[in-house]
Amino acid sequence: MAIFVGKHSAKVDDKGRLVLPAAFKKAVGEMKLEFVIVEKNRLNNCLDIHTEETWTENVKSFKKKLNPLNPLHDRLLQVYFQNFTRIAVAANGRINIPSDFMEFAKLEKEVRFVGMYTSIRLSAVGETKEPEMSNEEYLSLLGMIGNIGGDEG
């Protein structure tokens, strides 16, 4: 499984293509990355990029929570899958994201890739705010969530 960390900037070329940052291509390592799954992240109005392996595991986990005989669950599943597209990855790491996905995330010229452990978050520079958090707030939140050196929240 590939692990993605860090923040990288890139530019969209004239044909609407992007090249994955070298650090992320390196994280993939020996995996033969022929396709990725791109997700419209509705919570953050950006795109999330998943390897097929990770995406398949996430979908299996999600589907286990659903009742196949429940019409509402069926509708949810149909809308859920409309948020994803499978795209090819060129040998040099170039990806060509469909225009409706680019428009959803307002990706035009400059973009930001952020490693999110097993996925990559892709957002437009200037469209999404960096998560603002002071050092104290960050450490306090870590403490509350994991009881790491702080008070229980």
Side-chain angles (χ1 to χ4, degrees):
M1 173 185 346
I3 304 298
F4 306 104
V5 295
K7 177 174 76 169
H8 307 275
S9 296
K11 295 201 183 294
V12 179
D13 74 10
D14 293 339
K15 295 181 181 180
R17 299 174 301 193
L18 296 162
V19 176
L20 292 172
F24 293 161
K25 288 188 282 188
K26 186 176 181 180
V28 172
E30 297 298 316
M31 287 175 60
K32 192 167 184 180
L33 193 63
E34 294 180 19
F35 293 93
V36 291
I37 307 298
V38 177
E39 173 186 8
K40 290 179 183 176
N41 180 321
R42 291 182 173 206
L43 181 63
N44 296 298
N45 292 353
C46 62
L47 301 178
D48 289 338
I49 303 170
H50 309 274
T51 63
E52 285 188 298
E53 172 190 22
T54 300
W55 182 76
T56 300
E57 291 303 314
N58 290 344
V59 169
K60 284 179 185 177
S61 176
F62 176 69
K63 285 184 76 173
K64 284 181 183 176
K65 299 174 184 176
L66 301 177
N67 176 351
L69 301 177
N70 183 324
L72 185 59
H73 288 197
D74 184 65
R75 257 183 53 218
L76 174 62
L77 194 59
Q78 181 176 343
V79 172
Y80 175 78
F81 280 112
Q82 291 174 14
N83 288 300
F84 298 95
T85 189
R86 182 177 185 249
I87 60 173
V89 178
N92 67 349
R94 188 181 69 228
I95 56 176
N96 191 4
I97 297 172
S99 60
D100 59 321
F101 279 70
M102 295 286 282
E103 289 168 14
F104 170 84
K106 299 180 181 170
L107 302 178
E108 293 177 2
K109 295 291 177 197
E110 287 191 57
V111 298
R112 179 181 306 113
F113 290 92
V114 177
M116 302 286 292
Y117 184 54
T118 60
S119 66
I120 301 167
R121 179 143 305 156
L122 179 58
S123 59
V125 171
E127 277 299 321
T128 54
K129 289 186 174 184
E130 287 286 321
E132 295 178 26
M133 191 176 288
S134 70
N135 210 24
E136 293 78 18
E137 186 180 9
Y138 174 72
L139 293 172
S140 175
L141 204 53
L142 280 176
M144 288 186 330
I145 292 170
N147 198 20
I148 303 169
D151 297 328
E152 289 187 39

